């Protein structure tokens, strides 16, 4: 999987580079306005080609089998979903409410079962956060339906 | 070089118990603020500008300067403990600091970081005390061509990080490319994909937090605790004395590397003098120079104490350099120095040649107060480390959600926009993919930091010398730096090609 994964990633990098470079070219009137980006883009394409060639050669040598194991990605994927949900909920529920719920769900998922860990710890952390950011630093925190 | 009368007046200005009180308060406040991801030294000082109006001018300057000193130091605490650089200047501290923490040497590494920061401040302000004016005059000869060369030297660290050379270069060049996103030399935004939040480029604070910290969370989520063998190092098992002994042994280790400290201090103060260069470039150049100059560099990147010394000494030393240009010429060497400059102005002092000519006693008082700050930092720092280092023993089931919450509020508070936490999450996923494929994240971060600088300095140089390229070679400093850039990159290429051949034959 490592070679194929790398090849796909390099293609993604170059794809991004092409889209970006075309946008820069469309805006730039003179050479000096895109000169440095042209150099960086050219080096990126060159290095990407070298990387793909090197990966293909190694792949052919080692005849790597594609073996994607779900268990390797399960935890990071669930964590990504939790964080995305948290960021979405922050705007709806407000920072402190969403954070409290996020803490309980994440801690429970990671193995916390004690009520002190699930309720008391986030309550203390969020109280301190509130005091520091809202009371002391006078910062505006994300608000929603609740605080 | 020292004006004796002004010097004595400067000392007299500091002989007041209120000055010591404000140094203590500033150091304590700066450490707490600086150790929160997303809160930079600039923000920490900025928040104290209004309260400082109720102090006398010298008290205010000393207080804000204490915040600056300790906040810069504290950026390294989270870098070493959680792989979260509190500021871009602490990126290089993660290379060796975090691996040491994962080995269960959290106190030890924070001890090294504390003494290195302290020595960085002492060395740099000592240099400034004697050579502020001549150094400042020398640095003012640096134009876009010289700054471009400095950036290219800083980029050389891409070739020195662990892992495949090709992958490191590719990651670095990709970083450079995304570093140019945002308003170009003409002011028109590029690569923002319709998001106006990217008009000023990819913001560094959420980028660094995302690439380093959030991507790390995806990894450590499989573990129970941050350190590899938590039970052997639990403070409750060994007692407070053992805990303090570890901090002291770290301090001793930091003191053992006098050469590394001195060299890093000088690099730090020199880079800090350059307007717009900053602590991130200082610490990265220092790290790469130390790695290349020591006999055995095989442990660099895996937990070498000299790596922590190099980074922490240089980023704290760069603070003095930035302040020297601010005081002598009124040109702020960085964001935090700019806020301090405004503090001087608010209190009726105008930094620049007139301040140096007419009020040298204040300048001396400012410089000398930094020596006092370094001493106070040592004691406050030990107490802080004593409590803070225990965090690594907290079970990850509690630490992970707490870190996520702190990074969200920390990144949000930078500009008060949800776009920053979202950028941190997106780049966190990118960082995770990069790690999975063995790309060094530091190369991307380095490119990101330097991308816009490379473009803007090149653009200015092009405008200055277009059609007369021969003239750029009439600048002696440029020539010296150009030769250095070529020599460094040729050396790296030869070393890497040799290394690859040796690996292939093995």
């Amino acid at each position: 999987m490592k070679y194929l994964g790398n090849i796909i990633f390099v293609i993604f990098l170059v794809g991004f580079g092409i889209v970006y470079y075309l946008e820069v070219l469309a805006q730039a009137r003179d050479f000096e306005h895109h000169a440095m980006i042209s150099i960086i883009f050219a080096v990126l394409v060159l290095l990407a080609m070298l990387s793909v060639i090197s990966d293909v050669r190694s792949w052919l040598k080692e005849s790597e089998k594609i073996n994607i194991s779900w268990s390797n990605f399960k935890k990071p994927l669930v964590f990504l979903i939790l964080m995305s949900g948290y960021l979405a909920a922050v705007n709806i529920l407000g920072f402190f409410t969403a954070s409290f719920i996020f803490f309980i769900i994440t801690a429970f998922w990671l193995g916390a079962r004690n009520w002190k860990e699930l309720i008391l710890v986030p309550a203390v952390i969020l109280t301190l956060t509130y005091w520091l950011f809202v009371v002391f630093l006078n910062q505006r925190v994300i608000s929603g339906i609740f605080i | 070089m020292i004006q004796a009368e002004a010097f004595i007046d400067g000392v007299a200005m500091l002989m007041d118990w209120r000055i010591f009180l404000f140094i203590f308060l500033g150091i304590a406040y700066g450490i707490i603020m600086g150790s929160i991801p997303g809160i930079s030294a600039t923000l920490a000082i900025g928040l104290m500008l209004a309260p400082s109006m109720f102090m006398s001018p010298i008290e205010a300057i000393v207080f804000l300067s204490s915040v600056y000193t300790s906040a810069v130091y504290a950026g390294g605490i989270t870098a070493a403990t959680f792989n979260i650089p509190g500021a871009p200047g602490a990126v290089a501290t993660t290379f060796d600091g975090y691996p040491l923490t994962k080995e269960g040497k959290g106190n030890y590494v924070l001890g090294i970081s504390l003494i290195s920061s302290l020595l960085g401040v002492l060395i740099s302000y000592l240099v400034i005390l004697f050579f502020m004016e001549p150094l400042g005059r020398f640095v003012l000869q640096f134009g876009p061509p010289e700054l471009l060369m400095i950036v290219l030297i800083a980029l050389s660290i891409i070739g020195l990080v662990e892992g495949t050379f090709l992958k490191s270069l590719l990651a670095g060049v990709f970083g450079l490319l995304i570093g140019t996103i945002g308003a170009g030399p003409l002011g028109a935004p590029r690569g923002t994909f319709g998001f106006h939040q990217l008009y000023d480029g990819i913001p560094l604070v959420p980028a660094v937090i995302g690439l380093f910290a959030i991507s790390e969370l995806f990894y450590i989520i499989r573990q129970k605790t941050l350190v590899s063998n938590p039970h052997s190092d639990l403070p409750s098992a060994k007692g407070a004395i053992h805990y303090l002994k570890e901090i002291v042994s770290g301090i001793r280790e930091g003191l053992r590397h006098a050469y590394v400290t001195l060299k890093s201090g000088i690099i730090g103060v020199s880079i800090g003098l350059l307007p717009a260069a900053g602590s991130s470039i200082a610490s990265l150049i220092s790290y790469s120079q130390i790695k290349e100059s020591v006999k055995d560099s095989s442990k660099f990147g895996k937990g070498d104490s000299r790596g922590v010394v190099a980074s922490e000494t240089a980023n704290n030393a760069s603070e003095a350099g930035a302040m020297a240009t601010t005081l002598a010429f009124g040109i702020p060497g960085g964001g935090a120095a700019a806020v301090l400059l405004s503090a001087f102005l608010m209190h009726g002092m105008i930094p620049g040649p007139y301040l140096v000519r007419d009020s040298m006693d204040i300048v001396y008082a400012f410089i000398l107060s930094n020596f006092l700050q370094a001493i106070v930092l040592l004691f406050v720092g030990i107490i802080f480390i004593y409590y803070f280092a225990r965090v690594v023993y907290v079970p990850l089931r509690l630490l992970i959600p707490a870190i996520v919450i702190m990074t969200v509020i920390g990144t949000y508070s930078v500009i008060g926009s949800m776009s920053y936490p979202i950028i941190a999450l997106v780049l966190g996923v990118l960082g995770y993919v990069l790690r999975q494929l063995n790309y060094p994240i530091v190369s991307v971060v380095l490119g990101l930091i330097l991308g816009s600088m490379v473009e803007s300095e090149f653009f200015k140089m092009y405008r200055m010398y277009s059609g007369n390229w021969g003239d750029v070679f009439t600048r002696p400093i440029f020539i010296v730096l150009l030769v250095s850039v070529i020599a460094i990159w040729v050396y790296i290429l030869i070393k890497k090609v040799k290394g690859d051949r040796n690996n292939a034959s093995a």
Side-chain angles (χ1 to χ4, degrees), chain A residues 66-109:
Chain A
I66 298 171
N67 180 21
I68 302 171
S69 169
W70 162 242
S71 60
N72 286 343
F73 297 100
K74 192 180 163 189
K75 269 200 160 181
L77 194 66
V78 173
F79 186 54
L80 176 64
I81 292 167
L82 279 172
M83 282 214 290
S84 307
Y86 170 48
L87 289 184
V90 158
N91 269 330
I92 302 164
L93 301 174
F95 174 74
F96 291 100
T97 312
S99 298
F100 194 73
I101 295 168
F102 170 76
F103 195 105
I104 292 171
I105 293 172
T106 311
F108 187 82
W109 171 60

Side-chain angles (χ1 to χ4, degrees), chain B residues 250-271:
Chain B
I251 291 175
R252 279 203 192 124
E253 176 69 12
L255 288 169
R256 229 165 44 83
H257 302 296
Y259 166 74
V260 176
T261 306
L262 193 64
K263 189 172 175 181
S264 306
I266 291 168
I267 290 173
V269 73
S270 311
I271 302 290

Side-chain angles (χ1 to χ4, degrees), chain A residues 6 20 27 32 72 117, chain B residues 180 189-190 222 397 439 463:
Chain A
N6 194 42
Y20 179 46
Q27 279 185 6
E32 69 252 44
N72 286 343
E117 288 186 352
Chain B
T180 61
R190 307 131 338 155
R222 298 190 188 101
R397 61 178 181 273
Y439 282 91
R463 278 282 163 99

Side-chain angles (χ1 to χ4, degrees), chain B residues 203-431:
Chain B
L204 266 185
V205 172
V208 167
I209 287 177
L211 286 166
F212 278 100
I214 294 181
S215 69
E216 182 69 21
L217 294 182
F218 284 114
Y219 261 90
I220 60 173
I221 206 150
R222 298 190 188 101
Q223 299 167 209
K224 294 274 180 208
T225 54
L226 199 62
V227 289
S228 43
N229 186 12
H231 298 296
S232 64
D233 295 294
L234 272 173
S236 55
K238 292 191 170 177
I241 299 295
H242 175 80
Y243 220 48
L244 280 171
K245 271 185 185 169
E246 280 183 349
I247 299 172
V248 173
S249 79
I251 291 175
R252 279 203 192 124
E253 176 69 12
L255 288 169
R256 229 165 44 83
H257 302 296
Y259 166 74
V260 176
T261 306
L262 193 64
K263 189 172 175 181
S264 306
I266 291 168
I267 290 173
V269 73
S270 311
I271 302 290
L273 283 163
L274 302 171
S279 58
S280 51
I281 296 181
S283 60
L284 288 165
I285 288 184
S286 166
Y287 184 86
S288 63
Q289 289 300 309
I290 296 299
K291 188 181 175 187
E292 284 310 294
S293 63
V294 296
K295 272 184 191 165
D296 177 20
S297 62
S298 58
K299 274 195 79 187
F300 269 77
K302 295 166 193 156
D304 195 311
S305 57
R306 291 169 298 181
V308 180
V309 174
S311 167
E312 282 298 298
T313 309
N315 76 26
N316 283 275
S318 72
E319 175 211 325
M323 280 317 299
T325 355
T326 309
L327 290 172
F329 302 99
I331 303 167
V339 183
L340 268 175
L341 176 82
S342 58
F344 272 94
L345 295 171
M346 277 165 57
H347 287 275
M349 293 174 272
I350 303 168
Y354 293 113
L355 182 78
V356 174
R357 190 191 66 186
D358 303 331
S359 310
M360 200 57 192
D361 49 349
I362 291 174
V363 176
Y364 281 137
F366 175 81
I367 293 171
L368 293 171
S369 79
N370 274 277
F371 296 129
L372 295 175
Q373 289 165 28
I375 296 161
V376 175
L377 179 65
L378 179 66
F379 294 106
V380 177
I382 288 175
I383 296 166
F384 187 79
I385 290 170
Y386 180 77
Y387 290 102
F388 190 85
R390 291 163 190 248
V391 176
V392 295
Y393 301 106
V394 173
L396 284 176
R397 61 178 181 273
L398 304 177
L399 201 55
I400 286 175
I403 290 176
V404 172
I405 289 168
M406 290 312 287
T407 52
V408 168
I409 187 77
T411 48
Y412 175 84
S413 66
V414 178
I415 59 162
S417 163
M418 269 306 285
S419 60
Y420 273 33
I422 292 167
I423 289 170
L425 178 62
V426 171
L427 289 174
V429 174
L430 176 70

Side-chain angles (χ1 to χ4, degrees), chain B residues 29-279:
Chain B
Y29 165 80
I31 288 188
I32 294 167
M33 289 291 109
S35 61
I36 297 170
I39 295 194
S40 61
T42 314
L43 180 62
I45 301 168
L47 289 167
M48 284 295 122
L49 267 183
S52 76
M53 285 304 288
F54 301 102
M55 304 171 193
S56 73
I58 190 69
E59 284 168 1
I61 299 302
V62 167
F63 172 69
L64 294 173
S65 163
S66 305
V67 175
Y68 186 19
T69 302
S70 53
V72 171
Y73 153 69
I77 297 177
T78 45
T81 311
F82 305 120
N83 206 27
I84 305 174
V91 164
T93 309
T94 60
F95 303 166
D96 290 289
Y98 188 58
L100 281 168
T101 299
K102 287 211 285 190
E103 286 174 23
K105 296 178 179 171
N107 301 308
Y108 173 77
V109 71
L110 290 178
I112 299 172
S113 150
L114 177 64
I115 195 69
S116 306
S117 304
L118 188 152
L119 292 174
V121 171
L122 288 178
I123 291 169
S124 55
Y125 275 101
L126 209 58
V127 171
I128 297 305
L129 182 66
F130 288 100
F131 305 109
M132 187 169 80
E133 276 187 273
L135 275 173
R137 267 198 297 276
F138 173 69
V139 162
L140 284 187
Q141 294 174 36
F142 279 59
E146 287 81 15
L147 284 173
L148 182 64
M149 292 302 114
I150 292 283
V151 173
L152 292 179
I153 290 174
L155 271 174
S156 69
I157 199 165
I158 286 174
L160 296 171
V161 294
E162 292 300 316
T164 320
F165 186 46
L166 185 58
K167 284 192 170 181
S168 182
L169 279 181
L170 190 58
V173 171
F174 176 67
L176 278 175
L177 196 69
I178 60 173
T180 61
I181 282 177
L186 291 175
R190 307 131 338 155
T192 59
F193 302 99
F195 295 104
H196 70 272
Q197 292 89 345
L198 295 177
Y199 186 90
D200 288 330
I202 294 179
L204 266 185
V205 172
V208 167
I209 287 177
L211 286 166
F212 278 100
I214 294 181
S215 69
E216 182 69 21
L217 294 182
F218 284 114
Y219 261 90
I220 60 173
I221 206 150
R222 298 190 188 101
Q223 299 167 209
K224 294 274 180 208
T225 54
L226 199 62
V227 289
S228 43
N229 186 12
H231 298 296
S232 64
D233 295 294
L234 272 173
S236 55
K238 292 191 170 177
I241 299 295
H242 175 80
Y243 220 48
L244 280 171
K245 271 185 185 169
E246 280 183 349
I247 299 172
V248 173
S249 79
I251 291 175
R252 279 203 192 124
E253 176 69 12
L255 288 169
R256 229 165 44 83
H257 302 296
Y259 166 74
V260 176
T261 306
L262 193 64
K263 189 172 175 181
S264 306
I266 291 168
I267 290 173
V269 73
S270 311
I271 302 290
L273 283 163
L274 302 171
S279 58

